[in-house]
Amino acid sequence: MENICQEFFPRACFTLQKQRGFCRRNIFYQVQEALLAHLMPQLKVEYHRNIADALTADGPHLDGRACVDVCDQYLRAGRGARALPYLEPALDHLEGGYQNDQALDLMRRVIAADDALEGVARVPMLLRLAERQELVGLRDEEGRVLEEALQLSKASGDAALRGRVLVK
């Protein structure tokens, strides 16, 4: 599968440039859109994985915007666990720039990913999601998220974690 994907998406489709110490992605969007429109779902997954791998090729020290891109690409590729190391800086970047809709979307996608957060490990992300939902006035969704966090914290038996959920 990887060889097929590289045949259709050579490195010419995306490049990495170093600018002022930060890794920056430049994608030729017209080429990307044309190719993605006609791809089988399996090839789209490989395409997104290849983009994420290329973005992280220079090491783990990426700026917040690049971390957002890496998380997005790994999630599109169905590799939520690979997105986790980039998640905190990505969310910090989005929340710091008041890009609440994009931050909410990213958190929801990470929580929904099959291989990213399981069990009690979901609670901190659920709390962060609830906090952002409260900020933008999504009270019903916030209540559902907090209920899930409470159930997970009860099941874990961790009194301190349960207390953190109850304070929210």
Side-chain angles (χ1 to χ4, degrees), residues 118-132:
E118 296 179 5
V120 73
R122 296 167 60 84
V123 173
M125 187 55 53
L126 289 168
L127 292 177
R128 190 167 185 171
L129 175 61
E131 183 179 304
R132 192 62 32 185

Side-chain angles (χ1 to χ4, degrees), residues 72-90:
D72 178 57
Q73 294 301 324
Y74 276 135
L75 289 168
R76 288 176 188 265
R79 307 253 166 105
R82 301 260 321 257
L84 291 179
Y86 304 95
L87 184 60
E88 290 298 320

Side-chain angles (χ1 to χ4, degrees), residues 44-158:
K44 285 182 184 180
V45 165
E46 288 301 312
Y47 175 67
H48 290 299
R49 185 189 58 79
N50 283 340
I51 289 175
D53 288 345
L55 288 170
T56 60
D58 286 345
H61 305 293
L62 302 175
D63 67 344
R65 180 72 243 164
C67 288
V68 171
D69 291 338
V70 169
C71 286
D72 178 57
Q73 294 301 324
Y74 276 135
L75 289 168
R76 288 176 188 265
R79 307 253 166 105
R82 301 260 321 257
L84 291 179
Y86 304 95
L87 184 60
E88 290 298 320
L91 290 174
D92 290 345
H93 172 77
L94 293 172
E95 292 169 352
Y98 302 102
Q99 297 173 339
N100 294 317
D101 290 338
Q102 196 173 355
L104 287 168
D105 178 61
L106 188 58
M107 285 185 270
R108 288 179 186 126
R109 290 171 53 208
V110 166
I111 289 168
D114 292 334
D115 67 336
L117 300 170
E118 296 179 5
V120 73
R122 296 167 60 84
V123 173
M125 187 55 53
L126 289 168
L127 292 177
R128 190 167 185 171
L129 175 61
E131 183 179 304
R132 192 62 32 185
Q133 288 170 327
E134 178 186 22
L135 180 73
V136 299
L138 299 173
R139 303 281 187 232
D140 292 339
E141 287 182 41
E142 176 193 6
R144 287 190 293 273
V145 168
L146 286 174
E147 182 60 35
E148 181 183 349
L150 182 60
Q151 295 304 318
L152 289 169
S153 66
K154 282 181 184 177
S156 75
D158 184 344

